[in-house]
Amino acid sequence: MNVDVTPLPGIGVRKEIELRSGRRIGVITHRDGRIELILSRADDPDACLAELPLTVEEAGTLANLLGAPQLVNQLNDEHRDLPGITTRKLPIRTNSPYDGRPLGDTSLRTRTQVSVVAVMRAGQVVPSPTPDFVLVSGDIVIAVGEADKLDQAADVLARG
């Protein structure tokens, strides 16, 4: 899929894609750091039907929501023949005791026998994060393990 990038002099950059319906959806990143999600009108792809301002955290969380399911589905497909092994998205919430702390502080593998295979942040995948990778609110930890162990890992990330 092609991403059209349009410089907006004095404003910032518009990045958008054309949907199968012919509508365009995209993001305007302003020079001052503001971010807007935009949707074109169906009858005029140059006219904006809706603009939704997003904070950096909201934009990152939305990107994670859109990207994490694809990653989890791919990982589930790759280990479909391994009975009992599951992939799950584990969010780092604002009140998590690990918000702002290194992944290694969680001791997830030792405590739960769960492996962290990636972290999604602001729509970007960080594969095989090292123990010194600092988790932040809005991150989605992609973990692999047995279902009950993944439940334990979710509890660790939520409560400590």
Side-chain angles (χ1 to χ4, degrees):
M1 180 163 280
N2 291 329
V3 176
D4 294 326
V5 179
T6 307
L8 303 172
I11 297 171
V13 177
R14 180 177 64 209
K15 297 177 184 174
E16 58 188 348
I17 60 170
E18 184 172 340
L19 304 176
R20 188 176 6 189
S21 67
R23 268 203 174 133
R24 299 181 69 76
I25 188 168
V27 174
I28 296 176
T29 305
H30 292 261
R31 292 175 59 193
D32 64 5
R34 289 181 298 124
I35 301 168
E36 289 180 288
L37 182 64
I38 58 171
L39 177 65
S40 71
R41 291 180 32 176
D43 60 340
D44 183 357
D46 292 326
C48 197
L49 174 68
E51 297 177 36
L52 183 62
L54 300 172
T55 65
V56 172
E57 183 179 16
E58 290 165 342
T61 301
L62 179 60
N64 284 342
L65 289 173
L66 294 171
Q70 294 172 355
L71 178 59
V72 169
N73 287 339
Q74 179 182 351
L75 290 169
N76 278 331
D77 287 346
E78 289 176 4
H79 62 252
R80 184 179 316 273
D81 297 332
L82 303 173
I85 301 299
T86 306
T87 302
R88 190 173 302 164
K89 302 176 297 186
L90 307 174
I92 302 297
R93 302 199 190 287
T94 303
N95 59 352
S96 168
Y98 298 105
D99 180 10
R101 292 179 53 197
L103 175 62
D105 286 1
T106 68
S107 301
L108 278 182
R109 189 174 311 188
T110 303
R111 294 169 69 184
T112 67
Q113 291 79 53
V114 163
S115 294
V116 174
V117 296
V119 174
M120 297 262 328
R121 177 178 291 162
Q124 302 296 311
V125 176
V126 178
S128 302
T130 61
D132 62 340
F133 179 86
V134 177
L135 298 168
V136 296
S137 174
D139 283 353
I140 307 259
V141 173
I142 309 298
V144 175
E146 297 174 353
D148 62 326
K149 303 295 184 180
L150 288 164
D151 291 341
Q152 291 174 13
D155 189 58
V156 166
L157 293 175
R159 302 184 216 313

